[in-house]
Amino acid sequence: MIIQIIISGIIMGLIYGLVATGLTLTWGVLDIINFTHGEYLMISMYVSFWLYSLMNIDPLLSLPIVIIVMFIIGYLTYSIVVKNVINAPALSALLATFGLSLVFRNMAQFLWTPNARFITNSVLSGKKISIGSIIIGYPQLAAAIGSLVVIYAIYYFIEKTKVGKSIQATALDKNTAKLMGINTERVFGLTFAISGAAAGIAGGLLSTFYPVYPESGILYALIGFVIVALGGFGNIKGALYGGLIIGLSEAIGGYYLGTQFKYAIIFLIYLIVIQIKPKGLFGW
Amino acid sequence: MEKSITNNKKMIGVVLLIILALPIIVQDNNFRHIMILFVLYAALGEAWNIITGYAGQTSFGHAAFFGIGAYTSTVLLWKFDIIPWIGMLIGGIIAVVVAIIVSYPAFKLTGHYFAIATLAIGEIMLQLFVSWEYVEGATGIMLPIKENGYKYMQFHPMNKLSYYYIVFGLFVITVITAYIVGNSKMGFYLKAIKENPDAAQSIGINVTRYKLYAMMVSAFLTAIVGSFYAQYVTYIDPFMVFPLALSMQIVLITVIGGLGNIYGPILGAAILIPLSQYTRIIFGGTGKGLDLIIFGALVVIVTIFQPNGLVGLFENLFKKIKKKEAINDGKLHDVS
Amino acid sequence: MKRKKWLSLLSLMMVIALMITGCTTAEPVASEEPVVEEEIVVETVKIGAIFPLTGGAAATGVKLKYAVETAQEIINGEYPEIAFPMAENAGLENLDNAAIEFIFGDHQANPEIAKSETERLIQNEGVVGLVGCYHSSSTKPASATSERYMIPFVAGSSSSSALTERGLNYFVRIAPHDGMETEFFFEYLKNLNENYDADVKTVATVYIDNEYGVHANMMVDKWLEEVYGEEGFERILDVKYPSDASNVDTEVLKIKEAAPDIIFHASYINDMTMFANAYQLYEVQPKVVISYCGGFQDQQFLINLEDAANYYSGSNQTIPAIIAANEALSKANEIYKAKSGVDFDGPALEDFASAMVIAEAINMAGSTDGDAIMEVLKSEEFKAPYFATGKIKFGEDGQNEFSASAMTQIIGGEYQNVWPGEDTTSDPVVAFPDWSTR
C-alpha cells in the first residue's frame, strides 16, 4: 500500500510541479506573486471541457488549442494589468492580480454556472494499468508524464535558448538587462505567456480526471505559492523538486497522520524547510 | 517627522468624530451594521499597518490572531463564564505569545518568503482549530445567551449602536496606537528597518527586536478586535475567523487605502466594505457572482491607477491646495 | 482660514460618501413586526429566503432558489390541477388573496453573512418569515437571530440535529436530521442482513471536514454506542477529508486497505464524484455505500459518473420514479424543471416544502403575526402530498416527525426506491459486483 501511496504522491507532485513552474517564472522574472495563476488553470480546464462537450474533441487533442488560448491570456494579463503595476509597490501589484482572480472566478460562475463538470469519455477515461497490486489510471499517468515533459521543455527553453537566457538575465537584474539591449517589455510579456501556457497544459491534463468548476484553481494556486517559495523563486528545478516533496508529503502525511491534515502538513513542511534554507531549496 | 496632512492630529480627530456620528444620525440598522463592519475592518487595517506598513514585513496570515482572539474570549465565556472584556485581554495576550513564537523563526525570512510563511501559519491555525475537539472544531461555537448589557458585551440584535460604540472604541485604540508608534522612536526605527535592514542593523538598531515589538502590538490589537467580532456575530467556527480570505481582505483594505498611513485603512475600508455589502445585496440574490466581479474589477482599477493607495489622491489634492494658498499669500511665484 | 474650508470639504465628502451608501437601502422599518389587524389589507406577504447563491455550494443553492420560486408560483397562481394545498386559489385566501413574495439573500456559505442577511431581510424588507439556509452552519446563526426578532423560521434541507436541540420557539425544520437518518441507515442494513443475507458488519465513515460531515459522523458514533454496536455492527475506519481537496487518492487507499463492508458518506457532489471515480480506479469494493443528504442525491452524480454510479445508495426525499408516480408532484416538477433544467431532488423538494408550509401556516393563522404563525406551525398536521409520507407534523422541538426518506439505490442508471414499504420500485442489489465484471 505504501508504494501505491508514494506513486499517487509523485503523480500529484508532478502536476503541482508544472503549476509551480509557471508561477516561479513570473515570480522570478517580474518579482510578482501572480494570484491569477490558479484561474489560468481553471480557465484552461473550462476550455478543454467546452471543446470536449461542444465539439467532441478529446482533451488530449485539444491541448494545442488550450496552450495557444492560455498563452494569449497570459500575455494579455501582462499587457493589460501587470504592465501598469510593475513599478508600483510590490503589494499593489500583487493585489492587482488578486482582484483579477476574483473577476475571473466570478465571470466563470456568471457564464458557466457553478455546477461542476466532468469529462467522462475521453480517450483515456476509465483505463488503467496494473502492475501487481499497484494501479495507475491512464489520465493520471498521462498528466504526470505530460507535466514532467513540459517542465523539462520549459527548463530547456530557459537554460539553453537565446530567448530563454534573456529571460534569465532579466530575472537577475532587469536594469542591466535593459542596458545590454534586451527588450525587457517583451521578456515580461513572454514570461507571462509561457506561465499561462504551462498552467494551461496542467489544466488540460487535469480536466481528464478532475472536476471543472469556477473555484477549482484556488487550492492549486495556494499549493503553487508554497512550492515556489519552497523551491526558490525563479528556479524551475526547485519547482519540480518542491512539487514532488509537496505531493509526497500530502500523500504520505495524509495517510499516516490523518487525511484531514493533508494541507496543514504541506504548510508545516514549508515552514520547516524554509527554516533550514531561508531562500528556498535552490534559491539564492 | 513628516508634517504631512496625515499627521495632523486635529484632522484625525475630525475624521474620527464624523465616523462616530454617522450611525447615530442615520437610523437604519443595516447601515449601522455596515458601519460596524467598516470600523472593524479599519481597526484591523490599522493593526496590520504597524507590522506591514511601518515595519515592512508583509503578513498574509493575520487572520490567525483574529481567530485566536475570537476563540479565546468565546471559550472562556462559554466554559468558564468569564466576561468577554477579560476574555478579550487574555486573547490579546495569547496572540502576543503566539506572535513571539512564530516570529522568531519567521523573521529570518525575507520578502516573499516571509509572506508565504505567514500565509502558511494562518492556514495551519485554521486546520488546528477545525480539528480541535475542545473548541468544537468544525461545528463551531454558538455563544451562550447572557443578559443584555455591557458586562457581557451582548445586546439585542436591534441595538446596533451599543455594539458600534464598543468597536469604535477599539478602533480609536488602534488609531492612537498606530499614531504613537508611527511618531515615536520605535516608528523611526521601523522606518529605517523597512528602508534598509542591513544599514539599520549596522547603526545599532536591534532589527529583530523592533520587528518583534511591531508584531506583538499588531497581534494584540488584531486579537481584541476578533473577540468583539465573536460577541457581535454570536456564532463562530474556524472557517469564519481563520480563513485566508479574511487575511487578504485586511491586506486589500490597507493597501488600497494607503499603506503606512493612518488614513489608509479608514479609506480602504470605507470603500471596500460598503461596496462588498451593497453589491451582494443588490446582485447577490441572482446567484451570478456579479457583486464579486465588480469588487474584483475595482481592486484592479485602484491598484493600477493609484498604486500608493487612494490616500495619495487626497494628498495630491491637499498639495495643490497648499500650493495655491502659498501663491496667494505671495510666498510662491506662480510659474504655471 | 482656507485650510479650514478644505478640511470641512473633505469631511463633508466622506460623510456624503458614507451617507449615500447608507441611504440607498435605508427604509427604516418599525422594530416590531407589523401586526395585521382585520382592517389593514396586506397586499404582499414577504418571506426571506437565504441560500448559498455564490461560492462553492452555489450549484445547489441556486437550485433551491428555483424550488422556492416554484412554490411561489404555485401559491400565487391558480393551479386547480395540482392537488397541493394553496395551489387552487391565487395567493393567500384568508388574507384577501395576498400574494406571497420570497425575497432572496445570498449567504455565500458564511455564517456571519447569513446572520446579517437575516437581519437585513427582517429590518429593511419587512419579511414576516424565513426559509433556508441549506448549510446547517448558516441556518444556526440565521435562526438564532430570527428568534430574537420573533420571526418564524422554517428550515427545509439543513440536516444537523443540533438545530432542533436548541430549544428555540420560532424554529421548525422539515428534513429528517442526521440522527434520524443514521438510525434509518442502520435499520436498512439490518434489513439487508435479515432478508438478503448480506452479512454486512464493518462500517467506515467518510466525511467532509465541516459541520455537516463532522456532525453526521458524531451521529454514527452515537447510534453505534447506544444500539447498533450490540447488534453486530462495528466501525473500523474514520476518514475525514478537507473541504477543498485536490484529490482523494490517499483517502481512498486507506479505505481500500481497511476493506469495510459498509461505507457511510457525508459528501457534496464534487467530492462524491471524485470518490466514486477513485473507487473505480483503485477497485475498492465495499458491499454497501450509503450517503447522507448531499452529493449522491444530486442528479449531477448520475451525469458525472454514468455507469459507475450504479449500486450507490442513499436516503432520498424524492427521486424521478417517485415523482412520476405522483400526479400533482409531476406537474409541480414541470414548473421546477423549466427553471432549473433538472427534476426535483431531495433537498430541492424539502425547501419547496418549507416554502409551501410557511405560506400555508400564514394562511391558516390568517395573520402575519409571528406568534400566531408559530402556533399553527406547532399544532397543525400539514398535508404534504408532495412527500411520500403525505404529511408534515412538527414536534415540540420543531422537528418534522414524518421523515419522507426512502432508501434509494442507483440501479441500471436510475434511482430506484428499494426500502421500506410498498412503493419500492426494485429490490436492492446487496453488494457491489466485482469491478472486473463491469
Side-chain angles (χ1 to χ4, degrees), chain C residues 29-261:
Chain C
V29 174
S31 34
E32 316 96 52
E33 315 106 59
V35 175
V36 177
E37 292 154 13
E38 274 58 43
E39 306 89 42
I40 299 177
V41 175
V42 176
E43 301 222 322
T44 320
V45 173
K46 297 195 198 168
I47 313 253
I50 307 178
F51 291 109
L53 299 177
T54 48
T60 311
V62 168
K63 280 197 277 200
L64 300 178
K65 173 171 178 274
Y66 292 143
V68 171
E69 283 175 346
T70 306
Q72 180 176 288
E73 222 176 279
I74 293 179
I75 297 168
N76 287 339
E78 285 173 17
Y79 290 89
E81 72 273 18
I82 300 183
F84 289 168
M86 309 298 301
E88 191 175 344
N89 301 315
L92 301 172
E93 245 185 299
N94 297 346
L95 285 165
D96 273 326
N97 294 93
I100 202 160
E101 185 190 350
F102 287 96
I103 306 190
F104 292 96
D106 174 10
H107 65 62
Q108 302 182 331
N110 183 336
E112 176 222 307
I113 299 183
K115 175 176 188 276
S116 71
E117 283 293 277
T118 306
E119 288 180 358
R120 180 181 70 85
L121 289 170
I122 295 175
Q123 296 256 284
N124 290 46
E125 298 284 348
V127 301
V128 299
L130 286 152
V131 296
C133 306
Y134 183 61
H135 285 138
S136 297
S137 57
S138 288
T139 311
K140 259 192 235 177
S143 51
T145 303
S146 60
E147 176 86 4
R148 301 202 75 177
Y149 286 90
M150 299 188 296
I151 300 273
F153 194 116
V154 180
S157 50
S158 300
S159 63
S160 169
S161 58
L163 290 172
T164 39
E165 284 164 8
R166 296 176 291 169
L168 293 188
N169 296 320
Y170 291 84
F171 178 80
V172 294
R173 184 242 310 263
I174 294 191
H177 62 59
D178 44 17
M180 289 160 74
E181 294 277 85
T182 310
E183 188 187 6
F184 184 65
F185 292 175
F186 277 115
E187 287 298 312
Y188 172 65
L189 293 169
K190 278 175 69 177
N191 166 56
L192 287 181
N193 282 338
E194 282 160 23
N195 298 326
Y196 296 89
D197 269 332
D199 193 28
V200 289
K201 293 205 195 57
T202 54
V203 177
T205 49
V206 181
Y207 55 103
I208 193 169
D209 200 355
N210 67 16
E211 218 276 342
Y212 155 65
V214 168
H215 202 269
N217 185 55
M218 280 179 7
M219 292 295 103
V220 175
D221 272 332
K222 173 180 146 174
W223 281 105
L224 276 172
E225 200 184 300
E226 287 179 15
V227 179
Y228 295 100
E230 269 132 62
E231 309 217 5
F233 293 103
E234 122 185 64
R235 191 219 307 257
I236 57 170
L237 182 65
D238 173 328
V239 177
K240 188 162 43 158
Y241 60 91
S243 29
D244 49 359
S246 66
N247 73 85
V248 293
D249 288 353
T250 313
E251 287 82 353
V252 170
L253 291 171
K254 276 187 111 154
I255 297 170
K256 180 171 178 177
E257 201 179 27
D261 298 325

Side-chain angles (χ1 to χ4, degrees), chain C residues 261-327:
Chain C
D261 298 325
I262 307 157
I263 303 181
F264 284 174
H265 253 282
S267 304
Y268 298 126
I269 179 66
N270 289 354
D271 13 310
M272 194 65 213
T273 308
M274 282 204 283
F275 270 101
N277 278 326
Y279 289 149
Q280 181 180 33
L281 175 68
Y282 291 112
E283 290 166 11
V284 178
Q285 212 176 314
K287 292 194 183 157
V288 187
V289 178
I290 308 184
S291 278
Y292 288 89
C293 184
F296 164 83
Q297 286 78 355
D298 188 335
Q299 272 143 44
Q300 190 69 25
F301 186 68
L302 284 171
I303 301 176
N304 292 343
L305 287 157
E306 297 179 1
D307 283 333
N310 281 326
Y311 312 116
Y312 287 88
S313 318
S315 57
N316 239 324
Q317 307 298 305
T318 196
I319 52 176
I322 296 179
I323 296 176
N326 182 327
E327 198 189 324

Side-chain angles (χ1 to χ4, degrees), chain A residues 56-78:
Chain A
N56 257 311
I57 306 180
D58 189 274
L60 285 182
L61 294 175
S62 64
L63 268 180
I65 304 177
V66 170
I67 294 177
I68 296 174
V69 170
M70 295 317 301
F71 191 84
I72 296 174
I73 292 184
Y75 181 76
L76 286 176
T77 313
Y78 171 72

Side-chain angles (χ1 to χ4, degrees), chain A residues 13-150:
Chain A
L14 287 171
I15 300 173
Y16 290 152
L18 179 56
V19 174
T21 298
L23 205 54
T24 204
L25 279 177
T26 48
W27 193 329
V29 176
L30 291 98
D31 202 25
I32 184 174
I33 304 182
N34 181 13
F35 271 90
T36 43
H37 202 72
E39 275 57 53
Y40 291 162
L41 197 76
M42 180 266 293
I43 295 175
S44 66
M45 285 171 74
Y46 267 105
V47 172
S48 180
F49 172 76
W50 287 120
L51 287 172
Y52 162 82
S53 93
L54 295 175
M55 306 217 270
N56 257 311
I57 306 180
D58 189 274
L60 285 182
L61 294 175
S62 64
L63 268 180
I65 304 177
V66 170
I67 294 177
I68 296 174
V69 170
M70 295 317 301
F71 191 84
I72 296 174
I73 292 184
Y75 181 76
L76 286 176
T77 313
Y78 171 72
S79 56
I80 299 179
V81 177
V82 181
K83 186 158 72 173
N84 298 312
V85 287
I86 196 118
N87 291 315
L91 268 180
S92 301
L94 188 151
L95 289 183
T97 64
F98 182 76
L100 199 59
S101 78
L102 283 179
V103 173
F104 281 153
R105 234 181 281 162
N106 287 283
M107 284 295 307
Q109 181 177 334
F110 182 80
L111 294 170
W112 301 316
T113 84
N115 288 312
R117 322 295 175 100
F118 285 83
I119 294 184
T120 44
N121 276 322
S122 78
V123 84
L124 298 172
S125 291
K127 302 203 182 75
K128 54 187 138 188
I129 60 173
S130 307
I131 311 171
S133 61
I134 308 292
I135 301 176
I136 307 180
Y138 270 23
Q140 286 85 340
L141 189 61
I145 296 179
S147 298
L148 192 57
V149 166
V150 173

